[in-house]
Amino acid sequence: MTQKWDIVIVGGGLAGYIAANYLSKTNLSILIVEKGKQVGGRARTNKMDQQYLNLGPHALYKKGKAKSILEELGINLHGKSPKLSGILMEDNMEYAAPLAPFELFTTSLLNGKERIEWVSVLLKLMNTDPEKLAELTLQQWVKQTAHSKKVESLLYILGRLATYCHAPEMVSAKVIVANMKNAMGGVLYLDGGWQTIIDQLHNKASLSGVEVKSPTLVKQMKPAQQDHLKLVLSNDEEILAKYVICTTGPHELNEMLVETEQNHFFSKITPVRGATLDVALTKLPNPKRLFAMGITDPLYYSVHSPYARLSDDPKNAVLHVFKYHHPNDTHDRAIVKNELEEFLDQLQPGWQQYVITRRFIPNIIVNQRLPLIGDEQKLQRSKTEIPGLYIAGDWASPHSILADGAVSSGKQAAAEIILNEERKDSANYERRLPTI
């Protein structure tokens, strides 16, 4: 028999579980369909040799939407904030990163005039209304804001750090600057990794009656009779749903839809990608070096374990080395791996003799949408043109990306379904009222 559900959520990641938790407060039947063996999506944390490795570097904005919504749902977030001090590197030269007050006034990267300009630009950044930058690329905004090349470079570094985006000539200044402001408010590295968020959301949803079906892939989705959507699964099983929230990437969603229902905008969306080297060591050869970024090379390095419990042995070190990919570039796996290892060699000479476990992922999707100017007009609501179909995910929010985009769009999709149900109940109640 074809199963019927009030709501089917495609994808058991952050957006899907946020939506499920809000919807679980209703009397609607809810099913999450997850293609992987393990739920969580890119918020998964793998336990490898007693070490907890996120899929690349993950940080939660302390002033972002995701943190406030997770706390609203009663999710416990344990961890600490990393220090702002670190190193910037260029041509084998090292400079103190001018992100904290002491380094700002002592770094040899900037001369006196550039130092004053950088302070002025940071103040301007914090007082900028991102809404007024809707028609600008990040590059255009940087050119308007900074005068010296050094300060321009620092803004691009901060943009990469806050968003993983390495295409200033393409991306929306509105979205990137909003994230830069959030990043300046500090981040949290989470004890046990981001899997702790997923586990709590999963447990709360399960206790409220939400069911999870995995590993199961949705092959096709199309409108059916009686205001339902029909989902065809990988085993050819069919499911009917009044509402579907799709939290997959836009290209996956388009592949599920029959040709007449496909969205041209979805097919044009470009993901944000990078390469990550996730490493656990018995010790750091140089324990004082905890954070570094390249000035012209789009490279990142951070040791997360001093601020979050990421190993069963507190003496171990868990770190991430990352390369931000430009969307137009092609990448040779061996060359990228060598770049990341060489960057780590510079910062932690001899690290290889202390390796407990390591993992290299050459082309990981960090966010499903590179945020471009005008995207928000095409993503105004989570409801699509197909009746009953809603979207959520890190790409589906008009104003946010990364975890903030995933979490806020998951909440919005749930809110719109709840509001629609309330309207239906109100209309049915009015129809039942006796006429006088």
Side-chain angles (χ1 to χ4, degrees):
M1 288 180 63
T2 301
Q3 287 189 333
K4 281 190 178 182
W5 295 84
D6 292 319
I7 302 163
V8 171
I9 298 170
V10 183
L14 206 47
Y17 271 106
I18 290 289
N21 273 271
Y22 278 105
L23 289 164
S24 67
K25 298 169 185 176
T26 68
N27 292 320
L28 301 169
S29 59
I30 304 163
L31 173 69
I32 294 175
V33 180
E34 166 56 42
K35 67 179 179 181
K37 292 180 181 177
Q38 183 185 353
V39 297
R42 274 163 289 131
R44 293 194 315 275
T45 304
N46 299 121
K47 189 174 182 182
M48 300 168 65
D49 296 317
Q50 313 310 308
Q51 318 304 310
Y52 299 87
L53 300 183
N54 290 319
L55 292 173
H58 278 56
L60 186 69
Y61 292 140
K62 290 167 74 174
K63 294 186 177 180
K65 296 175 184 177
K67 185 172 182 287
S68 62
I69 292 171
L70 288 164
E71 288 173 340
E72 185 178 282
L73 287 170
I75 303 303
N76 296 311
L77 303 167
H78 298 294
K80 294 178 183 174
S81 299
K83 294 177 182 176
L84 289 172
S85 58
I87 299 168
L88 298 182
M89 301 178 68
E90 185 174 35
D91 298 329
N92 294 320
M93 295 290 290
E94 297 181 2
Y95 307 92
L99 300 175
F102 179 75
E103 286 79 4
L104 175 60
F105 293 106
T106 59
T107 183
S108 60
L109 177 67
L110 305 174
N111 62 32
K113 187 178 179 182
E114 291 164 341
R115 221 183 296 276
I116 293 167
E117 184 190 345
W118 177 230
V119 172
S120 172
V121 164
L122 286 176
L123 289 171
K124 185 174 181 180
L125 168 66
M126 296 313 294
N127 290 309
T128 295
D129 179 3
E131 292 295 325
K132 294 179 179 177
L133 309 179
E135 301 303 318
L136 295 177
T137 65
L138 177 64
Q139 186 179 69
Q140 288 169 335
W141 176 78
V142 167
K143 295 287 186 189
Q144 290 179 11
T145 305
H147 301 295
S148 73
K149 290 293 181 185
K150 292 272 182 71
V151 173
E152 280 187 17
S153 295
L154 288 170
L155 285 172
Y156 290 139
I157 289 166
L158 191 55
R160 288 196 295 270
L161 180 62
T163 67
Y164 298 84
C165 296
H166 176 46
E169 77 285 5
M170 298 169 68
V171 293
S172 160
K174 174 183 168 181
V175 175
I176 306 302
V177 169
N179 279 267
M180 288 164 74
K181 290 179 71 170
N182 275 344
M184 293 300 287
V187 300
L188 283 178
Y189 293 160
L190 298 177
D191 290 345
W194 279 49
Q195 188 71 41
T196 58
I197 297 176
I198 295 297
D199 290 346
Q200 290 179 75
L201 289 169
H202 173 80
N203 292 341
K204 284 177 179 287
S206 296
L207 287 171
S208 300
V210 175
E211 293 194 31
V212 179
K213 192 179 184 72
S214 74
T216 304
L217 184 72
V218 176
K219 287 199 304 188
Q220 193 182 70
M221 192 187 327
K222 56 186 176 182
Q225 294 177 345
Q226 300 173 328
D227 298 325
H228 278 68
L229 286 159
K230 180 192 284 186
L231 286 80
V232 181
L233 307 183
S234 47
N235 60 359
D236 291 327
E237 182 184 343
E238 294 182 353
I239 295 176
L240 289 175
K242 281 169 63 178
Y243 302 101
V244 172
I245 302 176
C246 188
T247 72
T248 67
H251 294 207
E252 283 181 85
L253 171 55
N254 247 6
E255 285 174 12
M256 291 177 204
L257 298 172
V258 293
E259 204 165 302
T260 54
E261 306 287 352
Q262 287 180 337
N263 186 308
H264 181 67
F265 170 62
F266 292 172
S267 67
K268 297 292 183 186
I269 291 175
T270 301
V272 179
R273 295 178 182 269
T276 186
L277 178 64
D278 309 322
V279 183
L281 307 174
T282 53
K283 63 175 283 190
L284 287 174
N286 191 335
K288 291 184 179 179
R289 293 190 168 189
L290 300 178
F291 173 79
M293 290 188 73
I295 295 176
T296 48
D297 293 330
L299 298 172
Y300 161 103
Y301 152 90
S302 182
V303 186
H304 287 209
S305 49
Y307 312 103
R309 185 184 55 78
L310 295 168
S311 171
D312 287 348
D313 185 340
K315 295 192 293 293
N316 295 340
V318 175
L319 62 90
H320 302 278
V321 191
F322 191 86
K323 181 175 184 183
Y324 306 93
H325 286 337
H326 189 283
N328 293 342
D329 290 348
T330 55
H331 307 280
D332 181 278
R333 178 191 177 100
I335 292 172
V336 172
K337 184 170 183 280
N338 192 53
E339 276 184 276
L340 296 180
E341 289 179 349
E342 282 187 356
F343 195 54
L344 186 51
D345 284 339
Q346 288 179 272
L347 293 155
Q348 296 292 344
W351 64 274
Q352 305 226 21
Q353 62 186 300
Y354 302 109
V355 171
I356 301 166
T357 189
R358 57 192 287 185
R359 174 180 60 195
F360 170 61
I361 307 173
N363 199 22
I364 189 171
I365 291 179
V366 183
N367 197 82
Q368 291 281 2
R369 174 175 65 91
L370 185 74
L372 305 180
I373 293 170
D375 281 359
E376 53 265 35
Q377 274 81 47
K378 296 158 186 167
L379 291 168
Q380 279 302 335
R381 296 175 63 79
S382 59
K383 189 174 182 181
T384 66
E385 294 173 0
I386 301 168
L389 175 61
Y390 296 75
I391 56 171
D394 61 18
W395 64 279
S397 167
H399 308 295
S400 304
I401 56 172
L402 303 169
D404 280 359
V407 169
S408 58
S409 63
K411 179 180 179 179
Q412 184 180 343
E416 289 183 17
I417 289 173
I418 291 167
L419 182 62
N420 196 52
E421 283 295 291
E422 287 172 350
R423 285 177 183 145
K424 282 184 182 178
D425 290 344
S426 176
N428 289 337
Y429 174 74
E430 287 175 8
R431 278 199 294 270
R432 288 196 299 270
L433 288 175
T435 54
I436 297 172

